[in-house]
Amino acid sequence: MLTLSPRLMACARLVSGAGCCCDVGTDHAYLPVYLLQRGICTSVIASDIGEGPLQSARQTAARWGVSEGIRIIRSDGLQQIPKEGVTDVVIAGMGAETICDILEHGDWLRRGTNLILQSMTRTPLLRRWLSAHGFALYREIPVQEEQRLYTVLQAGYTGEVRALSPLEEMIGRLDGTDPLARAYALRQAETLRKKAAGLNRAGKPAEQEEALAAELTAWAERKEQTYAG
């Protein structure tokens, strides 16, 4: 049986199993193969913009004997993906700007599609975009791979547009009882402090970065004390 990296395993945990899952930017199609092997989905779509990754996807599917269950599609984001029958969409391993651009061209996602998103950079931007376009964040799973910390988001369209606070943009729906979630928040605070130090050296205001770093640290420490108690 195929095993997944921590990031992809977290994505798999959030797949609903209600129907067909589309993995956008599938690369080697590890996630679709895993979903079929475990019986989480009876059919999956593996899509990518490049022919090279799609060839790798075909080879992976053949190696693990699940070629019949995978539909491999060359697509620019969601543009060539069938609009009917897809219950889950996974977009992982990309920058937040790219993910937002892909979602921008997927109006059919507003029909109840379960979104599983994992950005490699600028996750606060992704959270802000989702909330500004009527998508609710339902759950986040923090993940560590080697020395890096990530978070996998589950979202769906509700139509409710709201502005997130700076703290909400940074931690979203992370559960503070999870040590990895607290570590994630502290890592974000550290990044903000480094940015603030650079701004101070340049003679520019850094009060916002310093204040948000303090909020993140307080959130992590408060959750730790609550959990310990």
Side-chain angles (χ1 to χ4, degrees):
M1 299 287 277
L2 181 68
T3 58
L4 296 178
S5 69
R7 283 189 306 111
L8 291 182
M9 181 62 74
C11 291
R13 287 172 56 191
L14 295 175
V15 173
S16 70
C20 178
C21 178
C22 176
D23 182 26
V24 178
T26 194
D27 199 8
H28 288 78
Y30 293 141
L31 178 62
V33 167
Y34 179 93
L35 295 174
L36 288 173
Q37 284 185 329
R38 267 65 177 185
I40 298 171
C41 295
T42 56
S43 66
V44 293
I45 294 173
S47 76
D48 210 292
I49 194 172
E51 184 56 39
L54 295 180
Q55 184 58 34
S56 297
R58 294 185 188 97
Q59 292 171 355
T60 302
R63 175 187 175 189
W64 293 99
V66 295
S67 296
E68 291 186 2
I70 295 184
R71 184 175 178 185
I72 295 175
I73 299 176
R74 186 169 185 174
S75 178
D76 183 359
L78 294 166
Q79 295 187 43
Q80 285 74 43
I81 302 301
K83 296 178 175 58
E84 301 296 333
V86 176
T87 56
D88 299 73
V89 169
V90 177
I91 310 175
M94 305 179 193
E97 295 93 338
T98 300
I99 295 176
C100 292
D101 184 63
I102 290 172
L103 296 175
E104 193 83 56
H105 293 87
D107 289 343
W108 55 273
L109 299 175
R110 292 168 171 78
R111 299 186 302 211
T113 307
N114 181 41
L115 295 178
I116 299 127
L117 312 170
Q118 184 271 312
S119 61
M120 303 297 283
T121 60
R122 302 191 67 188
T123 303
L125 170 66
L126 176 57
R127 295 190 187 99
R128 182 165 65 247
W129 188 95
L130 289 167
S131 292
H133 288 79
F135 291 87
L137 287 172
Y138 297 137
R139 186 181 176 190
E140 293 197 37
I141 299 177
V143 176
Q144 182 171 2
E145 279 193 6
E146 297 178 350
Q147 300 303 313
R148 298 200 63 179
L149 291 169
Y150 305 97
T151 178
V152 179
L153 287 65
Q154 182 182 30
Y157 186 75
T158 64
E160 180 184 358
V161 175
R162 62 185 293 260
L164 299 180
S165 70
L167 183 62
E168 288 176 315
E169 288 184 7
M170 296 300 293
I171 60 172
R173 299 284 293 179
L174 287 171
D175 180 359
T177 64
D178 188 327
L180 270 184
R182 298 195 297 272
Y184 179 91
L186 292 173
R187 185 73 61 85
Q188 302 308 306
E190 179 184 357
T191 299
L192 283 168
R193 289 193 182 93
K194 290 180 179 178
K195 181 179 179 181
L199 290 171
N200 286 327
R201 286 193 297 270
K204 298 179 180 179
E207 289 83 1
Q208 289 184 341
E209 288 77 10
E210 291 169 345
L212 185 51
E215 273 195 272
L216 284 165
T217 302
W219 180 88
E221 292 177 347
R222 182 170 64 251
K223 295 294 183 179
E224 181 177 18
Q225 291 167 2
T226 300
Y227 181 64

